[in-house]
Amino acid sequence: MTELLEARSSAVVETNPPRGGGESAPRGDDARSSAAESGERLRIALAQLSAGLDPAENLTAIAEQIAAAGEAGAALVVFPEAAMACFAATLAEVAQPLDGPFASGVRAAAAAAGVIAVVGMFTPASGSETADVSLDRSAEMVAPASGTGVLGAPEDELGEAVAPAPDSRVHNTLLITGPGIETHYDKVHLYDAYGSQESATVAPGKSLVTIDVLGTRIGFATCYDLRFPDQFTELGRRGAQLVVVPASWADGPGKFEQWDVLTRARAMDSQAFLAACDQAWTPPQGAIALGIGHSRVANPYGKLVGALDGDAGMLIVDIDLTTVDEARRQLPILSSGSLTSAHGDSD
């Protein structure tokens, strides 16, 4: 709980302030109205915190951060993956539907602040969706390889991770809610890597998601999705000018370097701004992904325009959307087609 509450007292880091005259940045509704009228700049906030095990306690911190982002004039505030409850929780027990108390609390806070909130949570997976994706995995899920960590899995009496039955899996969901917006994205690529097996407790999503807000098209991805460039290229082709990526990026040798390269590379793949919000750094617990921090915003050329360190805090960035059009005009990779379509299949 102490780590989660650190986000409440952390200093706000602002980048890309308005140019000229030394005037202070507009706050609250004034800033959002200015962004909407210009259609060129969008103020976003990344709330880097450490989630605990209790969704109700996490919701209290999230609501405070939503209010702070609204007061700072952000049109969009992004929270990490698993902000509802960290991966150390038993996911099947903490999962709630999108009309449950956690989502309803986020929805009310976003409405009160007048911002779009993107919050990582866990929702029950339907039986049909779970059955579709579990048929070929059932054997390895019941008996994971020795030493394999299972994210959010219950333990037996000996303390060993036990994968639940396939129909008890959840979706790793991004709730996207605020004035005029209500949708969600279920994580497509599951973290079966580095000794973890997310697919034992989480069913994969099946669809990409974009929304239109304040004249901006925004696409969504989650954590391990970063390792799959095709998803980001497709979001760019669907017109996303900003791609939001909540994460709970596991610590370990070389993991920061991979996070740094992948976030910037995926911005270039989508030719869009990329806002990656990670859980604040937390000491690792085996293979359980608890975050390394370093939330950041990269522009379509892969240059960082704002970043935090490992500690809890909020990053506020004004992004210049004209950069997206400029990048796509100068380097038209999204309209160039795939290798197969350009050169044909080869035997």
Side-chain angles (χ1 to χ4, degrees):
M1 183 61 178
T2 300
E3 292 166 346
L4 181 151
L5 293 177
E6 286 177 358
R8 303 184 186 185
S9 58
S10 298
V12 173
V13 177
E14 292 196 28
T15 66
N16 296 349
R19 300 184 183 90
E23 296 179 2
S24 60
R27 315 295 286 183
D29 291 340
D30 290 341
R32 284 185 289 276
S33 297
S34 176
E37 289 171 3
S38 70
E40 295 182 352
R41 297 181 73 86
L42 182 71
R43 178 166 292 186
I44 62 176
L46 279 61
Q48 179 172 289
L49 49 70
S50 291
L53 298 172
D54 185 346
E57 292 183 349
N58 294 330
L59 176 59
T60 298
I62 289 167
E64 291 187 3
Q65 293 293 287
I66 290 174
E71 177 61 26
L76 175 79
V77 56
V78 184
F79 289 85
E81 174 189 26
M84 172 192 192
C86 68
F87 277 109
T90 301
L91 304 188
E93 294 181 358
V94 300
Q96 297 180 17
L98 289 167
D99 59 355
F102 179 83
S104 296
V106 172
R107 195 170 291 120
V115 302
I116 307 297
V118 182
V119 181
M121 62 178 295
F122 300 102
T123 57
S126 69
S128 59
E129 289 175 317
T130 303
D132 288 343
V133 298
S134 66
L135 293 177
D136 295 334
R137 297 176 179 266
S138 57
E140 65 178 296
M141 286 171 56
V142 173
S146 176
T148 297
V150 180
L151 296 176
E155 296 181 348
D156 64 14
E157 62 275 11
L158 299 178
E160 297 294 329
V162 177
D167 61 2
S168 68
R169 293 194 296 172
V170 302
H171 282 308
N172 186 337
T173 298
L174 300 182
L175 171 64
I176 305 154
T177 186
I181 295 294
E182 183 64 39
T183 189
H184 69 280
Y185 165 73
D186 293 329
K187 185 179 181 182
V188 171
H189 298 99
L190 302 182
Y191 184 59
D192 289 359
Y194 285 107
S196 294
Q197 191 183 16
E198 187 177 12
S199 64
T201 52
V202 177
K206 298 180 179 181
S207 302
L208 301 186
V209 174
T210 62
I211 64 171
D212 292 309
V213 57
L214 293 177
T216 307
R217 178 157 293 181
I218 303 172
F220 299 90
T222 303
C223 202
Y224 193 55
D225 286 335
L226 280 168
R227 296 189 182 273
F228 299 85
D230 286 355
Q231 178 169 346
F232 292 80
T233 300
E234 177 60 24
L235 288 171
R237 286 180 173 149
R238 294 186 183 193
Q241 299 159 282
L242 167 67
V243 179
V244 170
V245 188
S248 185
W249 195 262
D251 200 359
K255 292 301 294 295
F256 167 74
E257 290 77 8
Q258 294 167 41
W259 169 256
D260 179 50
V261 170
L262 289 168
T263 50
R264 292 185 292 111
R266 297 299 85 89
M268 290 187 283
D269 289 334
S270 60
Q271 293 195 303
F273 282 90
L274 186 139
C277 185
D278 192 30
Q279 296 253 357
W281 184 83
T282 304
Q285 296 184 23
I288 298 176
L290 295 176
I292 60 170
H294 297 279
S295 299
R296 68 262 309 280
V297 177
N299 75 9
Y301 298 103
K303 179 181 179 180
L304 290 183
V305 296
L308 296 174
D309 58 17
D311 296 331
M314 179 177 287
L315 174 66
I316 296 175
V317 178
D318 289 325
I319 60 175
D320 184 351
L321 297 170
T322 62
T323 308
V324 176
D325 293 334
E326 174 188 274
R328 293 176 180 179
R329 183 176 60 254
Q330 292 181 337
L331 191 64
I333 60 173
L334 297 177
S335 59
S336 297
S338 66
L339 184 65
T340 300
S341 63
H343 300 284
D345 293 323
S346 60
D347 295 329

